[in-house]
Amino acid sequence: MRYPDGGGLTAQGRAKREAVRRQAAGWFADGVPVPEVARRLRVSQTAVYGWRQRWKAGGEQALASKGSSGSRCRLDDSRLRRLADALDAGPAVHGFGEDQRWTLARVSDLIARMFHTRYTLRGTANVLHRLGFSVQVPKHRAAERDEQAITTWRREAWPAGKR
């Protein structure tokens, strides 16, 4: 079995991989050689040798998933909900001036103020992603923008320059 799902980091992906290891454990008990187990499951022999070593040391329980990798989020679910509510209120409510845009630096500062926990900008981006936020690029327009002059330029000057 191949794992094209980007590392199987979801709970579903981990369960799928654990099922493969448990299937291998059954074949280890039946005496199926490592190369044959690797061929049947379409995984590397190196992985199967590691599984067999763990299976010999601790049985099928030794092949159980260890859970998600990486560090845990320092904000629990209730804090994440409070953060999402604070973000929905907007930057001005939290003293970030009239500019109504959240930046990673501002969100990081907000988290530090609310929960006394510091995040790097990358860590802040991970928290925002976990909350369902995505990168948005605001459309900036000059206050002095003259739409009529732009339309005239597009109609007259630009085609003339293309000749």
Side-chain angles (χ1 to χ4, degrees):
M1 174 173 208
R2 301 229 180 241
Y3 305 116
D5 57 349
L9 298 178
T10 64
Q12 182 182 9
R14 285 190 305 275
K16 200 158 105 175
R17 287 185 177 192
E18 184 176 343
V20 170
R21 291 191 300 270
R22 289 187 185 277
Q23 188 174 15
W27 288 332
F28 296 152
D30 293 341
V32 177
V34 168
E36 178 61 19
V37 173
R39 187 190 65 72
R40 290 180 186 179
L41 295 175
R42 296 181 61 213
V43 297
S44 71
Q45 289 184 26
T46 304
V48 178
Y49 277 115
W51 297 345
R52 189 178 69 171
Q53 186 176 11
R54 286 174 29 207
W55 173 76
K56 282 182 177 179
E60 194 172 321
Q61 294 302 322
L63 299 176
S65 175
K66 294 181 176 89
S68 60
S69 62
S71 59
R72 289 210 162 90
C73 183
R74 289 177 273 168
L75 303 178
D76 58 13
D77 289 338
S78 65
R79 286 180 172 183
L80 287 173
R81 280 191 299 276
R82 284 179 44 210
L83 177 61
D85 292 341
L87 293 172
D88 287 341
V93 172
H94 299 285
F96 289 110
E98 298 302 319
D99 184 9
Q100 286 295 302
R101 289 179 290 163
W102 281 114
T103 63
L104 290 176
R106 286 180 174 187
V107 175
S108 182
D109 287 346
L110 181 65
I111 291 171
R113 279 193 265 165
M114 288 179 70
F115 309 114
H116 307 289
T117 301
R118 280 262 170 225
Y119 274 95
T120 63
L121 296 182
R122 181 66 234 162
T124 302
N126 290 340
V127 169
L128 290 174
H129 180 71
R130 177 175 287 155
L131 290 173
F133 288 91
S134 63
V135 175
Q136 302 292 314
V137 179
K139 186 185 261 187
H140 295 287
R141 293 212 169 156
E144 302 84 13
R145 183 178 170 110
D146 183 357
E147 293 295 333
Q148 187 176 4
I150 293 170
T151 305
T152 303
W153 180 84
R154 280 188 183 147
R155 216 177 317 120
E156 298 170 9
W158 188 48
K162 289 175 69 174
R163 292 185 209 156

